[in-house]
Amino acid sequence: MAKLNSRIGRRGFMATTAAAAVLAGTLGAPAFAAGPIKVAGIYTVPVEQQWVSRIHKAAMAAQTRGDIEYVYSENVSNTDYARVMREYAEAGNTLIIGEVFGAEQEAREVAADYPEIAFLMGSSFKEDAGLTNFSVFDNYIQDASYLSGIIAGSMSESGNIGMVGGFPIPEVNRLMHAFMAGAKEMNPDIKFQVSFIGSWFDPPKAKETAFAMIENGADMLYAERFGVSDAAKEKGVLAIGNVIDTQAEYPETVVASAIWNFEPTLDKAIAEVQAGTFMAADYGMYSFMKEGGTVLAPLGTFDGKVPQAALDLVKKREADIMSGDFVVEINDSEPTSS
């Protein structure tokens, strides 16, 4: 069952006609939103999960600023997703955010029934010009993933890195490929063990998969899923984080992390809704490093432990990424073990 969260303060619902006016700009009429807009988040996993936690964090920040009034549901099954979307649409929310990787068709059908409401959804597919109120995003944080790979390649003594992912979908694949490319910059002969656990949130399974990789020689792990860093900690090997910085929980294990900042994506959508100009678009670019959507976490406890050659290359590549002189390849194909 979906958990309809009421812990977030509510200042009252907007009328449906007001919601329609906010998006009238997509139909050519001028419109704007007076005061905070009502935003609902729909998540298939707990808000503590890495990916969703970044969306939730950005929404909470926007609410603190007074730009939005935010409510959310977590642990919504894919089969229940469309129903929850409709509930929030009927409740007068102006902008609905979430992730529809497992409910793509159903979600778009719901959006078509509520043209006055803006939908911003994590998706592996592109926007549809015929569905003007449905925009997509994804975490294109390949820039920071590449930089974290440079560090990983310099810190692996065995030249064997284990990589544990959720599902081999584009948003995961591109980060793994970028990480692998960065590691090969430091060691062209480095080997990778790649495995997907078939779940977005199954720490025990991710942990067991990581244990098997360590048994097979990996001394560095790419923790795309929760549970991997636990295995690394128990076995005394190193790990690279993804999306969030977990070094505080694993101070002797997590060397670096590619951080996703969802704020640029959400803030752009809020501004478009407020201006009445929201329309079908791909918001993926707002996750790029140049847009502030991704950053390499501070080394923290590993400051002074990473080889200087790697640090120098990270600094150079980061500057080149920001200037546009270096572009990290976006490879959405499924990565395989080497």
Side-chain angles (χ1 to χ4, degrees):
M1 292 292 292
K3 175 184 176 184
L4 295 178
N5 188 290
S6 59
R7 291 175 293 173
I8 308 301
R10 305 187 185 188
R11 302 177 191 172
F13 291 113
M14 293 180 179
T16 302
T17 53
V22 171
L23 290 182
T26 62
L27 302 177
F32 66 92
I37 62 174
K38 287 176 56 59
V39 176
I42 310 173
Y43 312 121
T44 61
V45 294
V47 292
E48 291 81 11
Q49 188 257 15
Q50 301 109 299
W51 200 83
V52 163
S53 73
R54 306 306 289 176
I55 303 173
H56 182 65
K57 174 178 176 290
M60 292 295 288
Q63 179 169 250
T64 299
R65 292 196 308 265
D67 290 342
I68 68 174
E69 295 174 358
Y70 172 57
V71 294
Y72 66 92
S73 294
E74 56 187 342
N75 294 317
V76 178
S77 67
N78 288 328
T79 56
D80 208 27
Y81 206 91
R83 180 189 65 79
V84 178
M85 286 179 69
R86 289 187 185 280
E87 286 187 358
Y88 277 130
E90 293 291 338
N93 288 284
T94 306
L95 172 63
I96 297 177
I97 59 177
E99 17 93 33
V100 295
F101 297 103
E104 190 78 39
Q105 181 177 344
E106 297 87 346
R108 292 181 185 242
E109 290 174 355
V110 172
D113 290 339
Y114 297 93
E116 75 281 4
I117 297 173
F119 294 85
L120 177 65
M121 294 292 174
S123 169
S124 294
F125 296 89
K126 295 301 182 181
E127 75 280 11
D128 179 357
L131 189 59
T132 58
N133 62 324
F134 192 96
S135 288
V136 298
F137 69 87
D138 212 338
N139 61 330
Y140 285 85
I141 62 170
Q142 66 280 344
D143 297 329
S145 296
Y146 172 84
L147 299 180
S148 72
I150 292 175
I151 292 174
S154 74
M155 296 289 283
S156 174
E157 296 181 359
S158 68
N160 186 327
I161 296 179
M163 307 182 69
V164 181
F167 292 93
I169 66 172
E171 67 133 351
V172 176
N173 298 343
R174 73 176 66 106
L175 306 187
M176 285 189 164
H177 278 297
F179 173 87
M180 295 163 81
K184 287 180 178 179
E185 283 259 29
M186 297 305 299
N187 181 0
D189 298 321
I190 204 160
K191 303 297 182 184
F192 302 95
Q193 302 177 59
V194 181
S195 183
F196 298 91
I197 63 172
S199 172
W200 292 130
F201 195 73
D202 191 343
K205 188 172 183 179
K207 185 177 181 179
E208 288 302 317
T209 302
F211 277 149
M213 291 178 171
I214 295 170
E215 288 294 320
N216 199 34
D219 67 347
M220 171 71 72
L221 299 175
Y222 178 74
E224 200 271 328
R225 292 293 100 194
F226 275 154
V228 176
S229 294
D230 293 298
K233 180 180 178 180
E234 288 188 24
K235 295 297 183 179
V237 302
L238 301 176
I240 297 292
N242 181 61
V243 176
I244 62 175
D245 185 2
T246 58
Q247 193 183 77
E249 291 75 33
Y250 307 94
E252 303 302 320
T253 302
V254 175
V255 182
S257 299
I259 306 301
W260 181 32
N261 296 323
F262 190 67
E263 285 80 357
T265 301
L266 181 58
D267 292 351
K268 175 64 174 177
I270 291 172
E272 295 291 349
V273 171
Q274 289 174 329
T277 54
F278 187 92
M279 63 183 63
D282 182 356
Y283 279 65
M285 64 174 290
Y286 297 106
S287 288
F288 283 32
M289 183 170 283
K290 290 176 64 175
E291 300 292 336
T294 187
V295 66
L296 188 66
L299 292 176
T301 55
F302 280 85
D303 191 23
K305 300 178 183 178
V306 177
Q308 189 60 45
L311 297 178
D312 291 343
L313 183 57
V314 165
K315 183 177 181 180
K316 181 180 187 307
R317 289 285 188 256
E318 183 176 25
D320 290 343
I321 288 170
M322 295 298 288
S323 69
D325 290 337
F326 183 82
V327 177
V328 177
E329 180 186 8
I330 296 176
N331 184 348
D332 288 347
S333 65
E334 182 176 344
T336 58
S337 299
S338 54

